[in-house]
Amino acid sequence: MTETTASLLARIDDMVEDEHIKNHPLVTAICEGNASREALRGFTRQFFFVGPRPNPRPHCAVYAVAPEDDPDIEDLWFGDILLEEATGAHSGTAHHLTVYFNWCETLGLTPEMMKATEAMPETAAFEQWRYFNAFKGDWIAAIAGIAFIEGASAARNDLMINAFVDHYGYVRDSLGLQYWEIHGSEIEEGHGDIGPRIVNRYANDDYTKRRVWNAVRRSIDLQWLAFDGMYRAFFENDSRYKRWQE
């Protein structure tokens, strides 16, 4: 029997919650105040490839091939997500890459240093995945692959903000913390709104439902893999990652 979209969305929600990135040991180490400055610098250099560096290029590719005149594509994908990432339209800030560089500079990492950073295999895999469905024109898989985990990432970021303030000397509403505060706010939570709407409207056959499920499944796996690599490299100081360690 064909799975309903309601059942598919429930399965996705369960998967996202069961494997929420807020429960990763790297996040736990930061939240418990156990991250050294060197570990935070390493995490910052590699997290660059998870979100700040690619955005919003894949979003643009998706917008180019997604259905025209769909109000959710226009208002949520283009208006709320793409424009916010590219210009800070809703948060009143700037291109999120610029805002991320403000965070980097609190750790002594200049924009030039960040741009010269080499991605580890795990973070490179996640970055390349961000482009995969978008650039091959599978717009619904591209939206599903980011919307469901992006909305959930607000909870992770909110925990990290509390830790940065409580354990690492950061101040709320400061320029250095702005990147995380944007991505821990209702703005980030709202970026997940398009996922269920698009699935409900367009995932009307088994083939499309499988594409949606596989995209979310792969995004969660690769996000965990990226955090696994960062944890091994900068929190466990695994010698395999000497090339990326300071």
Side-chain angles (χ1 to χ4, degrees):
M1 189 171 91
T2 299
E3 181 178 32
T4 65
T5 53
S7 173
L8 172 63
L9 288 169
R11 282 204 297 139
I12 289 173
D13 286 344
D14 288 344
M15 177 171 61
V16 171
E17 186 59 33
D18 289 345
E19 302 177 49
H20 204 298
I21 197 64
K22 70 182 180 181
N23 299 318
H24 194 281
L26 184 153
V27 178
T28 300
I30 290 175
C31 289
E32 292 179 349
N34 295 327
S36 66
R37 179 177 173 83
E38 290 73 21
L40 287 179
R41 282 169 59 91
F43 164 72
T44 295
R45 292 198 313 275
Q46 291 299 318
F47 186 81
F48 182 53
F49 301 100
V50 174
R53 186 174 184 269
N55 291 339
R57 290 178 181 86
H59 302 75
C60 296
V62 170
Y63 184 64
V65 297
E68 296 183 10
D69 300 322
D70 183 298
D72 290 327
I73 296 292
E74 296 298 328
D75 297 339
L76 298 178
W77 189 257
F78 181 78
D80 286 356
I81 299 177
L82 198 160
L83 286 183
E84 172 59 29
E85 294 285 349
T87 69
H90 295 283
S91 61
T93 55
H95 191 303
H96 284 197
L97 184 59
T98 299
V99 181
Y100 190 71
F101 285 154
N102 293 333
W103 158 259
C104 295
E105 288 181 354
T106 70
L107 294 165
L109 298 167
T110 66
E112 292 71 26
M113 292 167 68
M114 294 301 299
K115 292 174 184 178
T117 297
E118 177 191 3
M120 292 167 18
E122 296 91 337
T123 54
F126 188 82
E127 182 187 19
Q128 291 164 15
W129 167 247
R130 291 293 315 279
Y131 289 95
F132 179 74
N133 286 310
F135 279 22
K136 77 173 186 176
D138 192 349
W139 65 270
I140 192 169
I143 289 177
I146 189 60
F148 289 99
I149 67 168
E150 191 166 67
S153 69
R156 175 202 67 203
N157 295 333
D158 192 48
L159 292 173
M160 292 172 59
I161 291 165
N162 291 333
F164 291 143
V165 172
D166 293 343
H167 302 300
Y168 303 97
Y170 287 89
V171 177
R172 292 185 186 277
D173 300 321
S174 63
L175 195 63
L177 207 56
Q178 192 174 67
Y179 177 86
W180 300 107
E181 289 181 325
I182 294 170
H183 293 84
S185 70
E186 66 277 0
I187 292 174
E188 183 77 354
E189 291 177 355
H191 287 183
D193 291 347
I194 193 171
R197 296 194 192 187
I198 290 300
V199 170
N200 273 319
R201 188 169 301 137
Y202 295 102
N204 299 315
D205 59 84
D206 290 342
Y207 173 66
T208 305
K209 289 182 175 73
R210 283 196 300 273
R211 280 160 47 211
V212 166
W213 171 263
N214 289 339
V216 182
R217 173 72 276 172
R218 182 61 56 87
S219 289
I220 291 175
D221 287 342
L222 287 174
Q223 184 177 223
W224 270 80
L225 180 67
F227 274 67
D228 286 346
M230 291 186 286
Y231 186 71
R232 287 191 294 267
F234 308 116
F235 291 75
E236 295 185 327
N237 296 311
D238 188 327
S239 60
R240 169 65 182 84
Y241 296 89
K242 184 177 179 180
R243 191 159 99 232
W244 297 277
Q245 294 164 343
E246 293 184 323

